[in-house]
Amino acid sequence: MSRTGLFRLLLAGALALIVGGLATTAYALRRSWSGLASSPAAEVASGAAAPSSATPAFVGWSDPALVGKPWGTKVTGLLTFRGNPTRTYYGQGPVPRTMPNHKWQFPKSGGMCAMSEDKGKTTQWCGNGWTGQPAVFERDGRTWVVFGAYDRNIHFLDAATGERIMPDFKTGDIIKGTVTVDPDGYPLLYSGSRDNHYRVIALDRGVPTELWRLSADAVQPTMWNDDWDGSGLIIDDYLFEGGENSQFHIVKLNRGYDTNGKVTVNPKLVFNTPGWDAQLLKDFGDTNVSIENSVAIYKNTVYFANSGGLVQGWDISGLKEGKTPTRTFRFWTGDDTDASIVIDQDGFLYVGSEYERGNARSREVGQMLKLDPSKPDNPVVWSVKDQGSKPAGVWGTPALHKDIAIFDTTGGDVLGIDRMTGAVRWKFRVPGNETWQSPVVVDDTLFIGDCSGVMHAYDVADTSAQPKLLWEMKIGGCIEATPAVWKGAMYFGTRAGAFHALSTS
């Protein structure tokens, strides 16, 4: 090689090192969030296995093969209400099979309380309520527990100690729903509040920082109120969320990083639609048609219900190409349907509905249902009724466990229902009434709290046998919020004002 050629080669190498060093610095900043999504090239470099050619990769929004499984591989944890887009993932074991220890409570004294107005009446709200499940996830070598509470704050706690990891994020009113952690590894949190806004919050700035908010008044027309109870889903840079403004929203987030490695968003509302239609208003008879549940997505269809009992499915297959979503499924339960829709691997919907009005439709349809959306003219596969009083029916989101669906009723009954036939295999009762938390099943163990303040654990390994009580612990305060189970511990709040951690150690 000539001297000139050698000089050019050395110069090119030096430039590559300089450019590479700059790129590496920016990349390192972005990687400070330990769960950050990797690029395809990085996955190949790290030795990640390529998809098998024998099994074609799923093309669409929500892969049926992931029903009952964690939400992706970028962040380890329970990241949204009921864990994944089909609302069928409840946590990771091992679980407390014997009487656990009360590991810590937050705050150590006092309660998480604030005043809030609802339907023209201002009262004090304390602790955590429906749905209230905390997010639990791994970051930087420790486990985070993050939840919104009735003290108007989002709290960021160390799962081992109950101490704050970050300062609280304060909103303008109480927080009823479950926060969502970005499943793609961006240091972002998504949460609603009764203060009229659904927010995107950055977690890479020392203090939680609001990057964007969606107002309940951003779309028209609206009905009912401006609360946000639902736990949003984020898939392929799109946010899917329903509101108590009675509208369903889709937002393109446009996530990224700035030159300093800090996370950014540039959200655009790309679609919204009323959760009601003229037929519902005529049949139901009023405008209480808010969307309080968390939307669910199966393949290319997003499903949600509302307080008027309208269950809908919308085709989103062409969303990325700019095609407007279209409604493909409509079913009326007749009564308030706030429980989130649960979807099994075959695409069947499990729906829990309340029994408040006692109208002819709700008496006919029942309160615990399995629906087949491929048969929109006659979708009811089976139904089970709970109509012994008013109110009755279901507030908690059902759980799928092996070959049964587990529902709980506001009156305190817990039922194991054969998923094929709709036959009630077993039934038991917990005290306290207002059993609104959603049943949680991990490692063949069913956890259910009641409004007398007792958390119960049952063995449900044999789905045909009456569940066997493993333990019960008096916590105090109505257990209305859904617990999160994660690696030997359980985390939940009560209406008495405190948040609790139970553990096997």
Side-chain angles (χ1 to χ4, degrees):
M1 179 181 295
S2 69
R3 183 176 300 178
T4 301
L6 179 60
F7 175 76
R8 288 175 177 170
L9 180 62
L10 292 172
L11 179 60
L15 289 172
L17 284 172
I18 292 170
V19 174
L22 291 173
T24 301
T25 299
Y27 179 72
L29 286 169
R30 294 195 298 270
R31 290 291 295 185
S32 63
W33 176 265
S34 64
L36 181 62
S38 301
S39 69
E43 290 178 359
V44 172
S46 66
S52 170
S53 58
T55 305
F58 172 75
V59 177
W61 290 92
S62 179
D63 187 348
L66 299 180
V67 168
K69 297 180 180 179
W71 190 8
T73 59
K74 305 300 183 184
V75 182
T76 301
L78 192 62
L79 309 181
T80 188
F81 180 65
R82 309 300 267 178
N84 63 18
T86 52
R87 309 296 177 181
T88 55
Y89 178 62
Y90 317 122
Q92 180 175 328
V95 301
R97 294 274 297 183
T98 58
M99 180 70 76
N101 299 311
H102 188 277
K103 192 172 184 180
W104 51 258
Q105 80 168 41
F106 175 89
K108 293 180 179 178
S109 61
M112 302 177 293
C113 300
M115 304 300 291
S116 183
E117 183 271 330
D118 183 38
K119 301 176 184 177
K121 184 179 180 180
T122 299
T123 56
Q124 185 182 61
W125 297 62
C126 290
N128 301 83
W130 186 97
T131 55
Q133 177 186 301
V136 185
F137 60 98
E138 311 291 344
R139 179 194 177 192
D140 295 340
R142 61 178 169 182
T143 303
W144 292 48
V145 178
V146 181
F147 60 93
Y150 286 163
D151 64 352
R152 304 185 171 198
N153 289 300
I154 299 174
H155 301 279
F156 306 84
L157 306 183
D158 187 315
T161 65
E163 300 296 329
R164 285 183 173 90
I165 296 175
M166 301 180 75
D168 301 338
F169 180 89
K170 191 167 187 62
T171 68
D173 210 327
I174 67 171
I175 303 167
K176 290 172 63 182
T178 298
V179 302
T180 293
V181 176
D182 193 290
D184 297 318
Y186 291 90
L188 294 170
L189 189 79
Y190 307 81
S191 178
S193 170
R194 187 177 271 181
D195 69 359
N196 187 45
H197 295 105
Y198 193 86
R199 292 176 168 86
V200 181
I201 301 165
L203 304 181
D204 61 351
R205 289 159 167 81
V207 297
T209 304
E210 179 183 304
L211 299 185
W212 179 79
R213 63 170 67 179
L214 176 64
S215 169
D217 301 321
V219 299
Q220 294 294 330
T222 62
M223 289 188 181
W224 198 239
N225 67 29
D226 57 9
D227 199 352
W228 299 86
D229 284 358
S231 185
L233 286 179
I234 295 87
I235 302 177
D236 294 345
D237 204 39
Y238 287 83
L239 164 67
F240 302 86
E241 172 70 356
E244 287 201 40
N245 61 359
S246 305
Q247 287 261 352
F248 166 65
H249 315 75
I250 303 177
V251 176
K252 181 69 167 66
L253 291 168
N254 297 306
R255 297 165 299 175
Y257 293 91
D258 63 20
T259 56
N260 295 316
K262 298 299 184 184
V263 69
T264 62
V265 294
N266 185 24
K268 306 294 181 186
L269 182 68
V270 295
F271 178 76
N272 63 277
T273 188
W276 73 89
D277 56 24
Q279 187 65 47
L280 177 67
L281 297 182
K282 177 182 176 182
D283 294 339
F284 193 56
D286 69 32
T287 59
N288 182 2
V289 292
S290 63
I291 302 170
E292 297 188 37
N293 52 28
S294 300
V295 303
I297 299 178
Y298 177 85
K299 290 186 176 179
N300 291 315
T301 304
V302 56
Y303 294 96
F304 54 90
N306 69 13
S307 296
L310 187 61
V311 178
Q312 300 186 64
W314 286 75
D315 181 3
I316 54 174
S317 59
L319 181 64
K320 296 175 186 176
E321 292 74 42
K323 296 180 181 178
T324 301
T326 57
R327 190 169 72 177
T328 57
F329 182 71
R330 183 191 191 278
F331 179 82
W332 186 42
T333 70
D335 214 325
D336 194 344
T337 305
D338 291 337
S340 296
I341 295 169
V342 172
I343 312 172
D344 70 17
Q345 193 166 352
D346 297 316
F348 292 101
L349 314 181
Y350 298 81
V351 179
S353 189
E354 298 162 29
Y355 186 71
E356 295 181 299
R357 298 183 174 249
N359 57 32
R361 178 65 176 178
S362 62
R363 291 196 302 272
E364 171 195 0
V365 167
Q367 286 63 56
M368 291 162 270
L369 303 100
K370 179 179 179 178
L371 304 179
D372 183 353
S374 71
K375 300 177 180 179
D377 295 331
N378 186 26
V380 179
V381 178
W382 51 253
S383 70
V384 176
K385 297 179 178 180
D386 183 55
Q387 302 173 0
S389 62
K390 284 194 297 184
V394 175
W395 271 253
T397 296
L400 302 185
H401 173 57
K402 297 180 178 178
D403 57 352
I404 61 173
I406 302 175
F407 288 81
D408 58 352
T409 73
T410 187
D413 290 329
V414 184
L415 299 87
I417 302 174
D418 187 301
R419 284 169 55 184
M420 289 295 293
T421 67
V424 177
R425 292 192 184 174
W426 49 257
K427 179 179 179 180
F428 65 86
R429 190 173 185 85
V430 294
N433 293 329
E434 291 187 7
T435 307
W436 289 1
Q437 76 143 87
S438 302
V440 169
V441 186
V442 179
D443 289 353
D444 291 328
T445 307
L446 165 65
F447 299 98
I448 190 83
D450 66 46
C451 218
S452 70
V454 176
M455 179 62 72
H456 311 262
Y458 296 88
D459 185 340
V460 288
D462 183 350
T463 58
S464 296
Q466 190 74 10
K468 177 184 177 182
L469 180 66
L470 297 173
W471 56 263
E472 54 188 12
M473 178 180 286
K474 179 73 173 181
I475 302 296
C478 179
I479 305 174
E480 186 179 303
T482 299
V485 174
W486 193 254
K487 295 184 178 180
M490 176 189 299
Y491 308 93
F492 60 95
T494 79
R495 293 299 300 270
F499 186 90
H500 302 268
L502 308 184
S503 175
T504 55
S505 59

